């Protein structure tokens, strides 16, 4: 799973969001390190929707513009949890190896 996809799924855990809201939440979640351009965001959303990880929630018109809201599916929540566990395991192994290296245990 790509980092943008991981962050988009994470942004949708607590509530449905529209495109701009997702982009803002991704930027916040990443500490400003990931700033999704609209074209990239909708490419990620299209792929996640094709994989049934997100789905449209509703549409509304605000100031003459259509906002489409997306929500996380149950399958998307499972995929996100699996990826979060995988990343945490990998990070844990990296930290342990770095500690060993610092202690002189790895050449």
């Amino acid at each position: 799973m790509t980092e943008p996809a991981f962050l988009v799924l994470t942004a949708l855990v607590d509530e449905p969001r529209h495109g701009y809201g997702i982009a803002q939440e991704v930027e916040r979640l990443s500490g400003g390190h990931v700033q999704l351009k609209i074209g990239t965001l909708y490419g990620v959303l299209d792929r996640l929707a094709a994989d049934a990880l997100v789905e449209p929630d509703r549409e509304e018109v605000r100031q003459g513009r259509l906002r489409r809201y997306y929500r996380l599916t149950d399958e998307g929540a499972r995929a996100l949890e699996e990826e979060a566990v995988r990343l945490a395991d990998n990070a844990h192994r990296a930290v342990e190896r770095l500690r060993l290296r610092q202690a002189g245990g790895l050449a």
Side-chain angles (χ1 to χ4, degrees), residues 7-8 11-12 15-29 34-42 45 60 62-63 65-70:
L7 290 169
V8 166
L12 293 172
E15 65 183 354
R17 296 179 194 276
H18 57 83
Y20 183 67
I22 294 169
Q24 286 180 311
E25 186 66 6
V26 164
E27 186 173 350
R28 189 188 72 72
L29 288 167
V34 177
Q35 298 175 357
L36 295 177
K37 294 186 183 336
I38 293 302
T40 302
L41 171 63
Y42 283 102
L45 284 168
E60 63 183 40
R62 279 274 182 97
Q63 298 173 342
R65 300 184 81 168
L66 180 66
R67 284 187 176 176
R68 180 173 290 129
Y69 286 74
Y70 294 87

Side-chain angles (χ1 to χ4, degrees), residues 36-93:
L36 295 177
K37 294 186 183 336
I38 293 302
T40 302
L41 171 63
Y42 283 102
V44 170
L45 284 168
D46 287 344
R47 286 189 297 279
L48 292 173
D51 292 338
L53 303 180
V54 302
E55 61 190 9
D57 182 68
R58 68 185 184 278
E59 293 180 345
E60 63 183 40
V61 177
R62 279 274 182 97
Q63 298 173 342
R65 300 184 81 168
L66 180 66
R67 284 187 176 176
R68 180 173 290 129
Y69 286 74
Y70 294 87
R71 66 181 148 104
L72 186 66
T73 64
D74 290 342
E75 188 174 335
R78 281 189 295 277
L80 178 60
E81 183 175 12
E82 288 172 8
E83 184 68 2
V85 168
R86 186 188 74 78
L87 290 171
D89 288 345
N90 287 343
H92 177 74
R93 281 191 285 281

